[in-house]
Amino acid sequence: MSVAACGGNSASTTGTGSGAGGLRKVVFGAAPVAPTGALQVGIDKGFFKEEGIEVEVKMVQGGAAVLPGVMAGNPQFSTSNATTLLTARDRGLGVKIISHWSSDRKPPQKGMYGVVVPKGSAIKSLTDLQGKKVAVNTLRGLGDFTVGEAVRKAGGNPDKINFVELAFPDMSAALKGGHVNAVWVPEPFLSRLLNDGSGRLVGYTTQESVPGLASYVFTSDRLQKSDPKLVAAVTRALNKTLEYAQDHTAEVQSAAAKITDIPKATLKASGMESFGTDLRKPQLEETAKLMQERGWIKNGPKAAADVLP
């Protein structure tokens, strides 16, 4: 993944600095994926400037990879998924959610995360994944969590699935080459595999495991305590951004096409995740409980309570 900046002048590498016109500079970590277009729209609409903030968007790998940076103050804020944040909090890392980011669409709409098998595969249902090799981007992350829970809900045993770690761009070749039996992919990788005739959808795992599970924007406990006014200002700007993005999908897609390598036509065809300000507390708590049951974390209720604002 590439590293790029947008949305203003270059920010300080540590902490916040002074921006143009007396604005405070912050560095915001985001993955080069479609929902990041919403952040750029919020910057372009002036929602952050209204709060006295100048934003530098730093493209990161997301997930657990960005955690050390946020804890060190560069970036000060970032997006990540629920499983990563709950795991970090359970292990004593001072991460703190400040807002919703995006979440999968609800049925009957098509999901944004799915399991794909080769078109001629004997795998017909999610429970057929037991005993098979399934590629996910990160072990003990959102992929194997949602796949495992979807299989369990269908009556199977997630412990019988052989998960392997593979980067999303490499999954298509691995599937076509027979190196894995199935892949878990988000959009736009999902649509690409289904539309080129090589893949067949087995299930939308987020919709079939913990419907409505969200990803989040988070910061560190340290910044929350040392500069609560800054955190509150960023949160207000994010909420304005997310409310606007929910009703202006085309603008989000146009912005995403400019700051990622995803063509606008692909973004339009694959759709967009849901935005909004609901923290999805019940889904986060359910995820924490299920992670504890699977032995991924020690104290799910405490992790969920501590990571929430």
Side-chain angles (χ1 to χ4, degrees):
M1 297 196 180
S2 61
V3 176
C6 57
N9 299 327
S10 200
S12 168
T13 55
T14 58
T16 54
S18 298
L23 300 178
R24 293 195 64 184
K25 291 183 179 179
V26 300
V27 183
F28 195 109
V33 293
T36 299
L39 178 61
Q40 187 61 49
V41 168
I43 294 169
D44 294 342
K45 288 293 177 182
F47 298 143
F48 290 88
K49 187 176 182 180
E50 289 171 3
E51 296 291 345
I53 297 166
E54 179 183 334
V55 180
E56 176 190 343
V57 183
K58 181 178 182 180
M59 293 298 178
V60 297
Q61 289 189 349
V66 75
L67 291 174
V70 173
M71 300 313 296
N74 185 28
Q76 292 96 350
F77 304 90
S78 187
T79 59
S80 193
N81 63 72
T83 56
T84 294
L85 295 177
L86 287 166
T87 300
R89 195 76 210 200
D90 186 68
R91 293 178 179 175
L93 205 60
V95 296
K96 199 75 170 181
I97 288 170
I98 65 167
S99 78
H100 176 278
W101 180 236
S102 65
S103 52
D104 205 350
R105 298 176 296 189
K106 295 180 180 179
Q109 296 185 74
K110 294 180 179 179
M112 302 296 291
Y113 307 83
V115 171
V116 178
V117 298
K119 202 161 188 179
S121 172
I123 298 172
K124 304 298 181 184
S125 67
L126 289 170
T127 53
D128 292 336
L129 296 174
Q130 296 173 108
K132 302 297 192 297
K133 186 182 291 186
V134 180
V136 293
N137 66 316
T138 305
L139 294 178
R140 290 209 170 186
L142 185 64
D144 50 349
F145 171 76
T146 58
V147 172
E149 291 309 314
V151 167
R152 181 156 69 171
K153 278 193 172 182
N157 184 351
D159 293 335
K160 292 184 178 181
I161 304 171
N162 179 19
F163 289 107
V164 295
E165 191 171 292
L166 198 63
F168 288 133
D170 299 328
M171 288 190 183
S172 177
L175 188 68
K176 294 173 183 178
H179 302 296
V180 294
N181 303 110
V183 296
W184 173 83
V185 287
E187 291 289 7
F189 301 100
L190 179 58
S191 288
R192 288 172 181 168
L193 276 172
L194 299 179
N195 293 338
D196 70 4
S198 64
R200 175 171 51 81
L201 179 72
V202 176
Y204 295 116
T205 60
T206 303
Q207 291 187 348
E208 297 180 41
S209 56
V210 183
L213 180 61
S215 60
Y216 296 96
V217 177
F218 75 102
T219 188
S220 65
D221 271 345
R222 181 167 57 86
L223 185 60
Q224 180 91 44
K225 294 173 182 176
S226 66
D227 203 340
K229 289 184 178 180
L230 175 66
V231 174
V234 171
T235 303
R236 288 193 298 268
L238 281 167
N239 286 337
K240 294 175 188 176
T241 296
L242 296 169
E243 288 173 348
Y244 185 87
Q246 179 63 18
D247 298 323
H248 297 84
T249 298
E251 290 184 40
V252 175
Q253 290 171 334
S254 293
K258 294 176 182 177
I259 62 176
T260 72
D261 295 328
I262 308 172
K264 188 175 179 179
T266 301
L267 290 164
K268 187 175 181 179
S270 61
M272 182 60 67
E273 294 175 68
S274 298
F275 299 102
T277 58
D278 180 6
L279 290 178
R280 308 292 174 92
K281 182 179 177 181
Q283 288 92 339
L284 184 72
E285 291 174 338
E286 173 71 6
T287 299
K289 179 178 75 72
L290 293 170
M291 289 175 68
Q292 181 176 326
E293 289 177 1
R294 290 175 69 175
W296 289 17
I297 58 179
K298 295 179 180 178
N299 192 332
K302 187 176 189 303
D306 289 348
V307 78
L308 284 166

